[in-house]
Amino acid sequence: MYLPGLAQYTLYHMVSLTNKRIVVGVTGSIAAYKSAETVRRLRDAGAEVRVAMTRAATEFITPLTMQALSGHPVHLNLLDAQTESAMGHIELARWADAVLVAPASADFIARIAHGLADDLLSTLCLAARSPLAVAPAMNWQMWDNPATQSNVARLRERGARIFGPGSGSQACGETGPGRMLDPQDLVALLAGMFETGELAGLNVLVTAGPTWESIDPVRVITNRSSGKMGYAVAAAAMEAGARVVLVSGPTALAAPEQVECIRVMTAQEMFDAVMARVDTAQVFIGTAAVADYRPAQAATTKIKKTSATLQLDLVRNPDILASVAARTPAPFTVGFAAETVDVERNAAAKLRAKRVDLIAANLVGQAGSGFEADENRLVLIDASGTTELPLLSKLRAARELIHHIAVRYHAKNPAENPRLAHRQ
Ligand code: C5P
């Protein structure tokens, strides 16, 4: 099989689907045997995978095989109490960053082209807001049939991606177009869907996590921060094609793949690490919850709890964000504002006081959003106005933020990439 461009693509791009949530839909086609390999390769690329199969697909490959390879029960039936109670099909549709139907039979393509929702997988395709990719697999005459061609054209018009089909010998003994692409090609194409290239060629410097300011050898002053938002921002910037350096305070998180991570403890160390790198960064994103004060003098031995009260002398830490924004030239500078009340007013004040290009504000202290949570509701504020994002997973919120930054960065620096400068 010859696929122009694809071989080069897989050769030169490291395929990464780190943190991506992929629903693999399997329909009734002899190529269903390749789905096992597709799931494996998706997981090798870092994706989290859930499988949904049509009844016909289960005639070709067992749900048990797909369960073992994906690590999760397979979704088969709209009325199956067990899988539906673990994760219902609407929840699954919402969970997915992308849906890949591979193989997609002629019948299944016809059904989703017409918006039918008569089984779990077609219902899921109808309910999903995330991108849909379809890998047709069928006899070449079925593929050539004008009915199939118009169904495929209809899906394309609605934004679905059609992967393949390839050409070659078919299970029926004939030769022609209709072969499902090989799993590694599907995985490479899927990874390509996430690469926006919006920050390609740029250096992005991100701070994340809390800082620890020593009181004595066993006690610290710190801020509540898990680092999840900053790590998600670093991962999203990397997906957008940037070279990313993450300066992180103490967290329990592993650095996102391909991101250079510098671990620090105190605000002063974070300041030093940032200042050593900032001159080569075109974008700086300060998500760290930097401690505003540190003890003037850390005790060298553990302070004993002998007195009823204890006084600590604190001194101000350097403001990393404001120092970066005050440089000439300054990178495109983005700050975070965690507020407990009056989010927008406080964030707008911070935008002016610190002279940054953009503030991402969020209301903390509410259940389900902010500290330690996996989801966040951000409000993006810059000189031109306010954009409210819905409650999203931190990774999705980070991707929206990165898109927002990219649009504004390229508008400010049109000479660098005239093509992207016009994007909204
Ligand atoms: O603490 P504050 O609300 O001012 O934090 C707002 C923004 O400033 C955040 O982006 C934070 O990372 C940054 N900041 C900083 N250095 C400090 C304090 C805050 O970079 N010392």
Side-chain angles (χ1 to χ4, degrees), residues 207 223 267 284-292 317-322 334-339 350 354 359:
T207 64
N223 282 345
F284 174 81
I285 309 172
T287 65
V290 185
D292 294 315
N317 271 327
D319 190 314
I320 303 168
L321 184 68
V334 182
F336 267 68
E339 300 291 347
K350 207 163 282 185
K354 300 206 184 198
I359 285 275

Side-chain angles (χ1 to χ4, degrees), residues 336-400:
F336 267 68
E339 300 291 347
T340 47
V341 285
D342 267 342
V343 182
E344 280 188 50
R345 204 157 53 84
N346 285 321
K350 207 163 282 185
L351 182 81
R352 287 188 298 274
K354 300 206 184 198
R355 296 164 167 269
V356 298
D357 294 287
L358 178 71
I359 285 275
N362 64 312
L363 192 60
V364 294
Q366 281 189 330
S369 169
F371 301 137
E372 289 111 27
D374 289 323
E375 293 186 316
N376 214 354
R377 195 191 301 274
L378 293 182
V379 182
L380 310 181
I381 298 159
D382 65 12
S384 66
T386 297
T387 307
E388 279 186 40
L389 299 182
L391 184 66
L392 294 169
S393 75
K394 284 187 172 170
L395 188 58
R396 284 193 179 172
R399 287 182 188 141
E400 292 292 329

